[in-house]
Amino acid sequence: MEYGHDHPTRHILVVDDELSILHAVERELKGRRLGRYAFTVAGFTDPRQALVAAERQTFDAVISDFRMPGMDGLEFLKALAAIQPDCPRLVLSGQTDMDSLVRMVNETHIYRFIAKPWPAYMLQAALAQAIDYAETLAENRRLAEAARQRQLSELLPEPAAVEQLLIVDDDMGVLNSLARVLTHHSKSDGLFAAILAEQHGQPRRRTLAEDHISVQITPSPAYALQMAERVAFSCIIADYRMPEMNGIELLQRFAARQPDCSRILISGQIGEAELAQAIQQAHIFAFVEKPWSDFELKANIALALAQHRLQLENRWLAAFMRPEAEPAASGVFPG
């Protein structure tokens, strides 16, 4: 990684057998920066050439097509993982069935699937999530190893049994619809269970639709801030356009109360400048466009919960490693 004057630079490996896709990805990543990272892109239409490049250079993330002649995305990402095991892996594809996605999560440990064609903001946001997660995970491993050396790792608390989610939207129809999506089983829940298990070791039987998820809804941003004083939330989802307070301001104020709570912005209409503000000032984990895809919504939330747990675990480990301030040695992480 490198650091420029204003933005840290991250090096991205992109593999797709269609040259037009490579050019489209490069244009987006080298265009206007929506987040805090600048990107360089090494693009290849031949996965084997990409593997040669990975032997010579360390990449901060890789984006790979799934269906490619000669060597498909699954085979390529397995080979890449052997060379650079800590490089976050994202899959970009127009045709991928659910069984294949679950295989890719289980066998190549992909971080994210992005469907073609993708929204304009998607790649930069997804890469920022992946890079941030990889850095959080690296810090988690460092702290966990230090804790093991001090024989403290067995004192690490268990995660909360119930993850608390908060949804804020002035449209009650949207609130009820989102709550139904998150609390009812669907065919894709097996994939999200695999994501949760892969990201932070939760049992595979758990999905986003079972009783370990508690969803609370409110049309009032002011009431949401009051709730933040009483309940520890794992994730908040807020609409952008609300008459009482826009979603960016709400998420900024919510973050001041609960900095480890993952923040997701949802909207049917938002400009590039506003989205950049949400990323840079509210530090959102993801943006979901209305009308949303249930698949994309649940994928973002599964990843947000994984990030939330790692952040809490890192905070706990860091506090425990300080001799002047040791947290309680038992209990659970707040949910």
Side-chain angles (χ1 to χ4, degrees):
M1 72 183 66
E2 298 173 3
Y3 290 84
H5 295 297
D6 300 313
H7 298 266
T9 299
R10 298 293 185 263
H11 304 295
I12 311 302
L13 177 63
V14 183
V15 185
D16 197 298
D17 61 304
E18 296 183 47
L19 192 59
S20 61
I21 298 295
L22 289 181
H23 290 162
V25 171
E26 185 171 8
R27 281 195 303 271
E28 180 169 337
L29 296 184
K30 290 187 174 181
R32 180 178 177 183
R33 297 168 187 151
L34 297 178
R36 65 190 184 94
Y37 295 120
F39 299 105
T40 66
V41 177
F44 296 89
T45 56
D46 185 342
R48 294 176 181 82
Q49 292 181 2
L51 292 174
V52 172
E55 295 276 9
R56 300 172 178 169
Q57 177 183 351
T58 298
F59 291 99
D60 296 295
V62 58
I63 300 174
S64 172
D65 188 22
F66 177 64
R67 298 189 183 279
M68 297 182 289
M71 176 183 283
D72 66 17
L74 181 61
E75 185 181 356
F76 164 69
L77 290 176
K78 281 184 179 180
L80 180 74
I83 300 170
Q84 297 191 24
D86 295 327
C87 180
R89 295 172 281 280
L90 295 83
V91 173
L92 186 68
S93 186
Q95 293 182 334
T96 308
D97 59 72
M98 188 60 61
D99 290 341
S100 296
L101 280 176
V102 173
R103 280 189 65 203
M104 295 194 82
V105 169
N106 293 342
E107 297 180 27
T108 71
H109 314 297
I110 64 169
Y111 178 83
R112 184 76 176 272
F113 170 79
I114 301 172
K116 296 178 183 177
W118 60 88
Y121 61 85
M122 178 67 74
L123 287 184
Q124 288 197 39
L127 280 171
Q129 289 176 13
I131 292 166
D132 287 345
Y133 180 83
E135 293 178 355
T136 302
L137 183 59
E139 177 67 5
N140 182 268
R141 289 171 177 164
R142 185 190 69 79
L143 290 169
E145 178 58 29
R148 278 192 292 271
Q149 291 177 2
R150 291 179 54 181
Q151 298 182 333
L152 300 174
S153 57
E154 68 276 5
L155 300 178
L156 191 66
E158 291 295 320
V162 177
E163 302 274 13
Q164 299 286 345
L165 274 65
L166 176 61
I167 307 174
V168 189
D169 195 304
D170 62 311
D171 187 329
M172 287 301 300
V174 170
L175 284 177
N176 291 327
S177 181
L178 285 169
R180 280 195 300 271
V181 169
L182 297 179
T183 55
H184 286 74
H185 182 74
S186 69
K187 292 181 180 179
S188 60
D189 284 341
L191 174 61
F192 308 123
I195 290 173
L196 288 170
E198 170 59 30
Q199 299 293 350
H200 52 78
Q202 291 188 347
R204 182 60 49 85
R205 62 181 175 81
R206 297 175 70 175
T207 74
L208 289 181
E210 295 174 344
D211 60 3
H212 73 292
I213 297 290
S214 174
V215 178
Q216 301 193 47
I217 61 175
T218 177
S220 168
Y223 185 68
L225 293 174
Q226 293 178 25
M227 294 177 71
E229 303 292 345
R230 304 192 302 269
V231 180
F233 288 98
S234 301
C235 180
I236 177 173
I237 304 167
D239 185 37
Y240 171 58
R241 296 187 180 277
M242 295 183 287
E244 182 181 317
M245 180 189 306
N246 74 49
I248 297 175
E249 181 182 354
L250 168 61
L251 293 179
Q252 285 181 278
R253 294 173 65 176
F254 201 94
R257 292 163 171 80
Q258 297 193 22
D260 291 323
C261 177
S262 295
R263 296 172 290 281
I264 295 176
L265 187 67
I266 186 168
S267 181
Q269 188 176 12
I270 189 171
E272 189 175 271
E274 289 79 11
L275 183 57
Q277 180 188 6
I279 294 171
Q280 295 164 358
Q281 297 181 18
H283 304 293
I284 61 171
F285 180 81
F287 172 74
V288 176
E289 191 171 20
K290 293 180 181 177
W292 62 85
S293 154
D294 291 354
F295 180 95
E296 182 67 22
L297 177 69
K298 285 192 170 185
N300 273 304
I301 291 174
L303 293 169
L305 295 179
Q307 179 87 345
H308 173 259
R309 166 155 168 74
L310 269 182
Q311 288 174 333
L312 287 178
E313 188 171 297
N314 284 0
R315 189 181 298 278
W316 190 93
L317 284 168
F320 210 115
M321 298 304 292
R322 291 198 304 268
E324 70 277 8
E326 293 190 353
S330 61
V332 298
F333 290 121

